[in-house]
Amino acid sequence: GMACVPRFRESGFNRRPFGCHRYDVYSPKLHRQITLFGRHALDLWITLEASSSVLSYCERPIIIPGSRPVRAFDFWVQRAEGEELLVLMRNQDQKSSDNEEPASDIQSLSGTSVEGIPIRCIDPGDMTDHQITLANWGSIIRDLAAFERFIPEPLCNDVKARLDTRKSIAQLQSELSDFDASTVRLAIFQLLHRGEAVCSELATHRLTRNHVIARP
């Protein structure tokens, strides 16, 4: 793993946009509480938390230069191959012809950089194709946030050792019947979260005990 110190560790801007719902969540990846404003930010957070390629991230790390009204980048993200700043497009960022107001400059940020970090603009509409993934990972992350400290590491290793063939959650629970079924399920979630196990059905079907777990 990379032992680099994250460039951003806490939000630099906490003003809630008007009319945005506030979500207070716990990040198993960062081991801290974070506050998110709006459903799109929540969905994007779930994708970052669920992606094993994301080593670290920070919500609203810095202000977008020259933004009027002032707003922050939604996330700074660190992957092995480098950093990026993510901006969620809002309605007013889309170019409009019938409207006297010029579109914001947000779209023009895409492909530029700030402090040497490339900027990527994200259309929230692209996330709506992934509702099943978001729902499944949302529940996995909530379970890990609540119960991670109760998952024995030897159990995680034991589950991993049994993945030489693909097995359903139910099969793993019955093979590891010395442990409470819910603890085995949490150990599986922990491995999925770390990228040490995979489950392709998380993208296609709501999570059940029949989901098949495999080695990456």
Side-chain angles (χ1 to χ4, degrees):
M2 291 181 55
C4 67
V5 175
R7 188 194 295 243
F8 299 104
R9 289 167 169 244
E10 56 186 40
S11 171
F13 186 72
N14 288 312
R15 192 181 310 155
R16 181 168 69 91
F18 180 76
C20 262
H21 189 78
R22 172 182 170 143
Y23 297 91
D24 291 294
V25 293
Y26 180 83
S27 160
K29 188 166 283 191
L30 303 179
H31 306 291
R32 66 173 174 84
Q33 287 286 137
I34 65 178
T35 297
L36 301 166
F37 301 122
R39 182 71 211 201
H40 295 321
L42 180 73
D43 286 348
L44 183 54
W45 168 70
I46 290 171
T47 68
L48 298 176
E49 189 66 38
S51 168
S52 58
S53 74
V54 172
L55 305 175
S56 188
Y57 63 83
C58 182
E59 74 284 16
R60 299 181 306 283
I62 48 172
I63 298 291
I64 297 173
S67 55
R68 294 280 177 275
V70 172
R71 68 193 254 201
F73 290 101
D74 289 281
F75 290 96
W76 163 82
V77 179
Q78 172 79 60
R79 294 184 177 84
E81 61 271 22
E83 301 169 89
E84 60 179 356
L85 289 163
L86 304 183
V87 189
L88 278 161
M89 304 293 285
R90 298 180 188 170
N91 291 339
Q92 66 267 31
D93 302 327
Q94 317 292 341
K95 300 256 185 285
S96 53
S97 50
D98 54 345
N99 186 338
E100 293 307 298
E101 283 287 300
S104 74
D105 304 332
I106 299 299
Q107 254 177 337
S108 60
L109 289 172
S110 202
T112 65
S113 63
V114 168
E115 295 184 22
I117 311 171
I119 298 168
R120 182 156 63 95
C121 294
I122 293 177
D123 180 349
D126 294 344
M127 291 192 291
T128 55
D129 306 337
H130 304 291
Q131 286 310 310
I132 295 175
T133 307
L134 290 169
N136 284 337
W137 273 105
S139 64
I140 288 171
I141 292 160
R142 278 193 298 278
D143 279 359
L144 289 177
F147 303 113
E148 191 176 32
R149 63 192 180 282
F150 302 118
I151 308 170
E153 193 58 35
L155 174 58
C156 291
N157 294 331
D158 210 346
V159 170
K160 214 159 59 166
R162 290 166 190 271
L163 294 179
D164 41 357
T165 58
R166 297 153 55 80
K167 287 180 179 147
S168 70
I169 294 175
Q171 278 174 287
L172 288 161
Q173 286 172 326
S174 72
E175 286 184 19
L176 293 157
S177 55
D178 288 356
F179 290 92
D180 183 72
S182 59
T183 307
V184 175
R185 193 178 67 144
L186 285 165
I188 293 166
F189 289 175
Q190 180 83 288
L191 294 173
L192 290 168
H193 185 246
R194 291 178 187 165
E196 293 173 13
V198 293
C199 173
S200 59
E201 293 158 301
L202 287 177
T204 55
H205 296 84
R206 289 304 293 267
L207 185 56
T208 72
R209 295 175 71 235
N210 300 322
H211 274 46
V212 173
I213 310 300
R215 288 212 170 126

